[in-house]
Amino acid sequence: MHPTPAQPAAHDREIESLAEFDEVVAEHGTLAGYRFQAVDLTGRTEALLTLDTTGAVFLGCPMAPEAAAHVRSAGALVFPPVPGLPFDPYRAFAYTPDELFESLENGYEATVDAKTYAWFQETKADGDIFASMLRSIHDDAASDALDELLVGARVVGVMGGHAMARGTAEYAGAARLGRELARAGFTVATGGGPGAMEAANLGAYAAPFRDEMLHDALRLLAKTPSFRPSVTDWARAAFEVRERWPGGGASVGIPTWFYGHEPPNAFAAHTAKYFANATREDGLLARSDAGVVFLPGAAGTVQEIFDNATPNYYGSRGEPTPMVLVDEEHWTRELPAWPLLRSLARGRSMESRIALVDRIEQAPDAIKRLGG
């Protein structure tokens, strides 16, 4: 009997780039047990034909036909790339704005984001198990990419409505919030869409620059207040800001194709976009381990408040994380979520981790205080 090849540790066995592939070949001389994720291996045929691939898994990796046949016969599993898709279900990393908005010069309808939404619309109701499987694989890959991206980060989520228009005082306040959180060392995470979400990602992008940059950027963006009627014009305005001030700070956006009317924003350096909104919502809140700021919003933001309150109430994710609601009038009178949240928290460990502030400028200090 042949000895079972030594298996790499789970955290070391995902190979997501050619550089990692070459490193494994040079250091270990075997591919056995590794998982190769969306790596173009057409230029590595010799290694694939000569090295041990027992127990290896190749997810969406282009390779020469003879290499694919050989590794299969040697005991590897090969999941080939799926032709004709506007997205890669096996992708190893979060999206960038440039990827999602590729071909924006031809209009938003020509972009990867719009084409993927169109594919989703065509397949989500037809009951095709293959399309359903592709969506699930993609979303699982997005979660894996997020976990790897956020190792060691202190993540603060910023939740708020998509209808908040550029050029308003509320939008500027959300941008300043994102900037102050980023400058305090937090990683800002949002739902990745327009409105309050875009503003917070913009603020994080502006964090490395002088304060005047954000003022000027807000003025430029105000010329295109909303993604309606034209997502193309709205997105182009954001890319104009990015081109004028390149190299901004990084933040995270976690949007969904479920809400096709909400395009992703261009200020989140890392975008994990999901097909399944429930997976996206839970993942965004679960990863906001340093707390969540809830700006004024409508039904979606109310849902997020109590989606976050539930694990804090039961302690299902460990110690409760800070929750800061902004705008006393909104959360006590217009949509009185605060009284209910406070009643839920009474007498429990989460009671000391919730706060209501009236002004957005108070939110960063509240997050720091509650997290202490």
Side-chain angles (χ1 to χ4, degrees), residues 94-109:
Y95 293 96
T96 66
D98 289 334
E99 285 180 296
L100 287 172
F101 286 102
E102 184 181 355
S103 300
L104 181 64
E105 66 274 11
N106 298 320
Y108 173 68
E109 293 73 18

Side-chain angles (χ1 to χ4, degrees), residues 3-322:
T4 302
Q7 298 293 303
H11 63 280
D12 291 329
R13 63 181 179 172
E14 287 187 15
I15 305 303
E16 299 170 336
S17 68
L18 277 177
E20 289 180 335
F21 181 93
D22 292 339
E23 183 180 339
V24 166
V25 170
E27 292 187 6
H28 304 289
T30 179
L31 304 177
Y34 285 92
R35 278 77 174 101
F36 302 88
Q37 189 174 352
V39 183
D40 188 342
L41 298 175
T42 52
R44 298 296 187 273
T45 300
E46 182 180 353
L48 294 171
L49 290 176
T50 57
L51 297 179
D52 184 9
T53 57
T54 305
V57 179
F58 295 87
L59 301 170
C61 297
M63 62 181 78
E66 64 269 27
H70 177 78
V71 299
R72 283 194 185 98
S73 67
L77 286 176
V78 178
F79 295 79
V82 182
L85 290 178
F87 63 96
D88 181 357
Y90 303 110
R91 63 176 296 118
F93 305 102
Y95 293 96
T96 66
D98 289 334
E99 285 180 296
L100 287 172
F101 286 102
E102 184 181 355
S103 300
L104 181 64
E105 66 274 11
N106 298 320
Y108 173 68
E109 293 73 18
T111 66
V112 169
D113 186 66
K115 289 180 178 179
T116 302
Y117 175 64
W119 176 88
F120 181 38
Q121 289 293 96
E122 292 169 3
T123 61
K124 69 178 183 179
D126 63 9
D128 182 4
I129 191 170
F130 183 56
S132 177
M133 181 190 74
L134 292 174
R135 293 194 295 269
S136 297
I137 290 172
H138 173 277
D139 285 1
D140 189 67
S143 294
D144 183 62
L146 268 183
D147 289 340
E148 294 172 357
L149 175 70
L150 296 175
V151 171
R154 295 186 300 156
V155 181
V156 172
V158 178
M159 311 297 164
H162 71 271
M164 184 183 288
R166 296 167 173 174
T168 63
E170 292 78 12
Y171 185 96
R176 289 193 296 271
L177 169 65
R179 184 180 64 184
E180 296 313 306
L181 289 171
R183 287 178 173 176
F186 295 109
T187 295
V188 174
T190 78
M197 297 171 279
E198 180 190 55
N201 288 128
L202 166 64
Y205 186 88
F209 299 99
R210 295 171 62 90
D211 289 357
E212 290 80 4
M213 174 269 176
L214 181 57
H215 173 80
D216 292 342
L218 290 169
R219 182 169 48 81
L220 287 174
L221 292 171
K223 298 175 184 178
T224 314
S226 174
F227 60 95
R228 296 189 177 101
S230 173
V231 176
T232 302
D233 292 344
W234 175 82
R236 283 175 176 166
F239 278 99
E240 181 181 349
V241 169
R242 285 166 46 92
E243 290 163 8
R244 183 167 174 179
W245 292 281
S251 64
V252 175
I254 308 180
T256 174
W257 281 292
F258 183 80
Y259 295 131
H261 61 283
E262 292 185 15
N265 75 70
F267 294 111
H270 310 286
T271 298
K273 193 158 188 179
Y274 286 81
F275 290 106
N277 185 51
T279 305
R280 167 252 192 172
E281 290 274 10
D282 185 67
L284 172 55
L285 293 169
R287 290 175 175 85
S288 298
D289 56 356
V292 183
V293 177
F294 298 92
L295 301 177
T301 310
V302 172
Q303 176 182 334
E304 289 162 346
I305 289 173
F306 293 102
D307 279 347
N308 197 49
T310 301
N312 281 347
Y313 181 89
Y314 289 110
S316 55
R317 292 183 186 143
E319 285 296 311
T321 53

